[in-house]
Amino acid sequence: MVCSAQSEPNAELEFERFYNALKMDEIFNGLGGNVEVDTKQILADTLKDLPESQKQFLINAMGTAVLAEPSDMSAAKMAFKLKILSLLSPEELKIAADFYSTNIGLKAHRAIIEAEVAASNVLD
């Protein structure tokens, strides 16, 4: 019997699949195209529990341009990315990307957003 080694999914690749499947650029644009994000605070909050190697990887991936302009779309995407990468393993991210790449997954995502807005309106 031959065992084939399966490599762990690439977090960067799976994040891009996930982000695109959710149509996050479209969602951010729907928020007015100018999302206020405190990336320094999000970075600090997100990285506090990560292993040192992951911290350095994410800090290097951020770059100074994103930190310098927290209100642009790339800052919003980076904040989203940092939070998602802190909450989901590469394997979980792959599973989520696979699901949200389907019509049902995208429909569920849109339904969740609309339901959260409805609930938020009641709580306001």
Side-chain angles (χ1 to χ4, degrees):
M1 186 177 282
V2 176
C3 293
S4 64
Q6 290 189 352
S7 61
E8 186 169 303
N10 178 301
E12 290 291 315
L13 213 83
E14 297 305 333
F15 170 78
E16 287 302 322
R17 287 184 56 232
F18 179 69
Y19 185 87
N20 292 329
L22 293 177
K23 300 188 183 302
M24 290 308 298
D25 283 336
E26 180 182 309
I27 290 169
F28 289 153
N29 283 326
L31 296 173
N34 192 15
V35 180
E36 292 296 326
V37 178
D38 184 350
T39 53
K40 290 181 183 180
Q41 184 60 48
I42 290 172
L43 182 61
D45 292 345
T46 302
L47 299 183
K48 69 180 179 186
D49 296 325
L50 292 178
E52 193 60 37
S53 61
Q54 285 183 322
K55 283 182 191 179
Q56 289 307 309
F57 173 78
L58 292 173
I59 289 169
N60 293 339
M62 280 289 289
T64 55
V66 173
L67 290 174
E69 298 183 37
S71 64
D72 67 7
M73 296 297 283
S74 62
K77 180 178 180 179
M78 185 54 69
F80 183 83
K81 180 178 185 176
L82 288 172
K83 185 52 89 173
I84 291 296
L85 290 177
S86 75
L87 297 171
L88 299 175
S89 70
E91 181 62 31
E92 291 167 331
L93 199 49
K94 180 187 181 320
I95 292 167
D98 289 345
F99 174 69
Y100 287 113
S101 294
T102 67
N103 288 334
I104 292 171
L106 187 56
K107 186 175 180 180
H109 174 62
R110 298 296 176 153
I112 290 166
I113 292 171
E114 289 184 30
E116 287 174 342
V117 168
S120 176
N121 290 338
V122 169
L123 294 173
D124 284 342

